[in-house]
Amino acid sequence: MPEISIVLVEPLYEGNVGFAARVMKNFGFTRLVLVNPCPLGDDAAMRASHARDVLDGARRMTTDEVYREFDFVVTTTGEVSKSVCTAMRMPYYTPAEVREIIADIDGTVAVLFGRENWGLANEELARANLICTIPTSEAYPILNLSHAVGILCYELANLPRGTYPLAGQVEMGSLYRHFDAFLDRIDHPDFKRENTMILLRRVLGRTKLTTREVSTLHGLMRRAEWHMENKD
């Protein structure tokens, strides 16, 4: 089954970190990662209650390290794109849909939650395999950080065992670089490049490619490149 870590990116309030650790343990999750958190003291420990072990065992990482280490990255956002032409926050999935997508992954999965005041930045979202949003009322759509963590943990609890190994970040990074170089070969317009690469990450990210499938896509592009070099 997927090995899921909850990642809090620059949380502002130690109480939210403590509550997040507590609700994680409620649903059986123990892997907490903190990216540049606020100072953690007595309030965090008190809010964590019987989940002090989760709080004390939290790893400190940078977002770059998260993207390098984890096989599959889910980012959460309350603000979504209104059109499929704007790829940054589109397509997006509910927590229940995320559960179905990652259920058969045999690898490491990180679920990122952003800052309480403005969430995750575009550059943090752009590299994600999947975008998740929690359906909320338009009258009051903003969730407390720990509540959002609780909803995701509830949906992702007790996932069935995975059935195949996922291509990791190294393999996927190599594939994205190959696609980027391929766009040069076909004279893809520069002004479309960033959006095209984000769309490719979204499409390929949610397909949960195996190492063999990544190798096949490399092979197809190399074959196309050979024909471009040897055309009459």
Side-chain angles (χ1 to χ4, degrees), residues 16 18 34 44 65 74 91 100-101 137 148 156 201 213 223:
N16 280 338
L34 301 175
E65 288 171 338
V74 179
E100 295 302 314
I101 292 169
S137 167
L156 301 180
R201 284 179 177 274
E213 289 167 336
R223 189 66 177 169

Side-chain angles (χ1 to χ4, degrees), residues 158-230:
N158 302 311
L159 283 169
R161 180 161 298 280
T163 57
Y164 62 84
L166 197 68
Q169 294 294 348
V170 172
E171 291 89 354
M172 293 304 295
S174 175
L175 181 62
Y176 295 139
R177 289 191 294 274
H178 196 167
F179 267 112
D180 196 41
F182 188 77
L183 294 180
D184 285 332
R185 299 292 302 276
I186 63 174
D187 297 322
H188 190 70
D190 289 340
F191 73 93
K192 293 184 177 180
R193 176 65 63 91
E194 182 180 5
N195 205 48
T196 298
M197 288 305 300
I198 292 173
L199 284 168
L200 282 170
R201 284 179 177 274
R202 294 287 180 265
V203 171
L204 297 176
R206 67 177 181 268
T207 58
K208 303 174 295 181
L209 297 175
T210 65
T211 303
R212 173 61 179 169
E213 289 167 336
V214 167
S215 177
T216 297
L217 289 173
H218 277 299
L220 289 173
M221 283 191 287
R222 291 191 189 102
R223 189 66 177 169
E225 289 163 345
W226 184 89
H227 278 286
M228 286 188 285
E229 291 174 357
N230 294 277

Side-chain angles (χ1 to χ4, degrees), residues 93 115 126 139 222:
Y93 298 87
R115 306 150 187 88
R222 291 191 189 102

